[in-house]
Amino acid sequence: MYESQVSFTLDTICPWTYLAKKRLEEALAQVRATSPPVTFTLHFEPFQLFPDFPDTADKQEWYLHEKHFDNEAAQQAYQSHMTSLLEPHGVKLNFAGKMGNTLHAHRVIQQIQRDRGADAASRLVEGLYRRYFEQAKHPSGDETLVEACVEAGVGEDEARKLVEDKEMGLREVSARLREVTMDADAVPVVAVEGKRRDITLTGAKEVKDYIKALETVVKESG
């Protein structure tokens, strides 16, 4: 059995990475259902779209001024487009609330991934996406992170200790962020490790594109 790592580079405030995660997980489920001679393990890599972003800002105002240059029609078109892409995956986007620097979200993700493995990390990332994009919660707020950790299977006391100790894992995630940004300047990026070659897909691809990459690795693993 060949073991393939599927590296997923993301930022937890990027809707395109939320879309990519939904599509990639659907692709993984379909390929795994065929009982292939390959074990695919999802591994998350940190990336900050805005590393100098303040601790908090109004999401609607920031997007209007910084991304859509005070063009309300452009903002509405963007929101409608993203809504249409994510609705088929059961996601109801909420564009209200606060946004902020995602450093500590990445710190917590990497610690949980290291200590509890891929499944817990995936549940954590999903919980963070849902709280930010659907419930309009702060992406790196202490309560947001604690809630998502508990949902991922971490005890509340352990979760709170991890979230509130801002130095725990900070050096490691900061170093990894620097390494990742040497190879990536945007997200999402999905890299499927193969026996003969790695396959990298940049941007939120269709489910069929992720399936094709996974099946190529399966084909070439023999």
Side-chain angles (χ1 to χ4, degrees):
M1 178 73 73
Y2 177 68
E3 296 183 2
S4 170
Q5 179 170 284
V6 182
S7 296
F8 183 16
T9 304
L10 60 88
D11 197 357
T12 56
I13 58 171
C14 174
W16 294 103
T17 64
Y18 195 10
L19 178 63
K21 184 175 187 287
K22 292 292 189 182
R23 291 176 173 176
L24 175 60
E25 287 179 333
E26 183 176 335
L28 283 165
Q30 290 188 36
V31 172
R32 285 168 174 160
T34 67
S35 300
V38 176
T39 299
F40 292 104
T41 301
L42 191 56
H43 179 86
F44 297 104
E45 293 284 9
F47 184 92
Q48 285 191 282
L49 289 168
F50 314 111
D52 298 323
F53 203 85
D55 288 339
T56 188
D58 182 272
K59 191 190 306 183
Q60 283 275 36
E61 290 182 5
W62 188 87
Y63 267 93
L64 180 61
H65 297 317
E66 301 298 331
K67 300 295 287 185
H68 300 122
F69 307 104
D70 295 321
N71 185 328
E72 293 186 3
Q75 176 137 312
Q76 183 58 50
Y78 164 78
Q79 293 179 354
S80 297
H81 181 56
M82 294 310 306
T83 296
S84 70
L85 291 174
L86 279 157
E87 270 187 344
H89 299 280
V91 176
K92 295 182 178 180
L93 289 175
N94 184 339
F95 295 96
K98 301 295 183 180
M99 60 189 298
N101 195 294
T102 56
L103 175 62
H104 289 290
H106 287 298
R107 178 181 64 81
V108 171
I109 291 168
Q110 293 302 307
Q111 287 293 109
I112 295 300
Q113 181 167 250
R114 186 197 70 180
D115 296 340
R116 290 182 172 262
D119 289 344
S122 186
R123 292 194 299 270
L124 172 59
V125 171
E126 186 68 25
L128 290 175
Y129 276 139
R130 189 173 64 257
R131 282 167 174 78
Y132 176 67
F133 285 108
E134 300 184 60
Q135 300 173 9
K137 294 186 177 182
H138 192 290
S140 294
D142 283 4
E143 290 308 310
T144 302
L145 295 173
V146 169
E147 288 176 5
C149 283
V150 171
E151 186 177 296
V154 181
E156 185 172 353
D157 289 344
E158 180 184 348
R160 196 164 295 281
K161 180 179 178 181
L162 169 59
V163 170
E164 293 178 353
D165 184 350
K166 307 301 183 185
E167 295 300 316
M168 188 183 297
L170 180 60
R171 182 181 300 175
E172 292 82 358
V173 75
S174 297
R176 189 59 190 152
L177 280 163
R178 289 191 294 271
E179 293 170 357
V180 170
T181 53
M182 292 178 66
D183 297 319
D185 58 7
V187 286
V189 179
V190 173
V192 186
E193 184 181 65
K195 200 170 185 179
R196 299 185 189 178
R197 57 177 170 145
D198 296 344
I199 301 173
T200 301
L201 302 97
T202 302
K205 302 301 184 185
E206 299 291 337
V207 173
K208 63 181 177 60
D209 297 315
Y210 293 124
I211 290 176
K212 181 179 179 181
L214 297 169
E215 289 182 338
T216 298
V217 168
V218 171
K219 182 180 179 180
E220 294 180 353
S221 67

